[in-house]
Amino acid sequence: MRKRLAQFRKLGRTPDHKWAMLRNMVTSLIKHERIVTTVPKAKELRHLADKVVGYAKKGDVHAKQLALRVVREKPMVTKLFEVMGPRYEDRDGGYTRVMKLSRPRRGDNAPMAVIEYVDRPGEIRAARVPEKRKQKYFNNLGEVLEHAGIKQNQQS
């Protein structure tokens, strides 16, 4: 029998301790929008952080109640729904980025990573523009250029 294939990482903690740690980390990630942690913790946090942004995109009362179950501070829930929800409304997923750092942690040689939200001011590496945003802004590009007096090259 093949067991434990679809489960998440244990991270060397009891389930209650792991859940408390992930709730604290997602609250800090919303607050600072970039945190440094170990690679396994960052990969595990990615699922929860993306799910919380999905709640913010829905924006209804039930989604806010679900987010309050996860996020520990009410001002961070407000930031999530008022700032981050509208920011990611045209992105279908992949709200976080995990980048491995070159140097491991000094004390125990644990591999370290930076987890951050994409499409934010001051991000380390610019994210790809979502297709919905491309269609939204570049749909009438020809009309805008013509109105500005710029001739387009007709290449076939």
Side-chain angles (χ1 to χ4, degrees):
M1 296 174 105
R2 297 172 61 173
K3 296 184 179 178
R4 280 196 236 152
L5 287 179
Q7 293 180 354
F8 297 108
R9 294 169 183 84
K10 290 190 175 184
L11 301 176
R13 288 161 174 79
T14 62
D16 289 337
H17 185 192
K18 180 184 139 184
W19 177 239
M21 179 193 67
L22 288 175
R23 285 181 64 195
N24 288 333
M25 288 177 74
V26 78
T27 304
S28 295
L29 183 62
I30 293 168
K31 186 174 191 175
H32 303 289
E33 297 194 15
R34 177 193 301 158
I35 59 174
V36 179
T37 184
T38 62
V39 173
K41 285 180 190 174
K43 288 181 178 181
E44 196 66 23
L45 177 63
R46 179 175 47 190
H47 301 292
L48 191 60
D50 286 351
K51 185 172 280 199
V52 168
V53 172
Y55 294 151
K57 282 175 60 175
K58 288 181 186 173
D60 58 350
V61 176
H62 181 61
K64 197 164 194 172
Q65 291 171 345
L66 292 174
L68 280 168
R69 290 182 189 176
V70 177
V71 181
R72 296 217 181 239
E73 300 174 9
K74 286 191 179 183
M76 295 307 107
V77 174
T78 305
K79 177 182 178 182
L80 183 70
F81 277 79
E82 292 179 2
V83 176
M84 300 177 91
R87 182 193 300 169
Y88 297 117
E89 69 179 327
D90 53 0
R91 185 174 287 276
D92 290 331
Y95 312 113
T96 55
R97 172 188 301 128
V98 176
M99 293 181 292
K100 294 179 183 177
L101 296 178
S102 61
R103 293 187 178 172
R105 190 163 54 196
R106 187 170 182 188
D108 60 354
N109 208 26
M112 299 297 287
V114 173
I115 182 168
E116 68 177 0
Y117 282 112
V118 298
D119 283 344
R120 66 178 188 85
E123 65 181 334
I124 294 174
R125 185 176 65 106
R128 277 192 215 118
V129 180
E131 289 298 322
K132 289 181 183 177
R133 193 178 303 162
K134 281 183 188 177
Q135 292 171 358
K136 183 176 169 184
Y137 291 114
F138 298 120
N139 204 9
N140 298 328
L141 184 61
E143 294 175 13
V144 171
L145 291 175
E146 185 179 313
H147 182 68
I150 299 173
K151 293 182 181 179
Q152 288 182 303
N153 294 338
Q154 299 293 330
Q155 296 177 359
S156 297

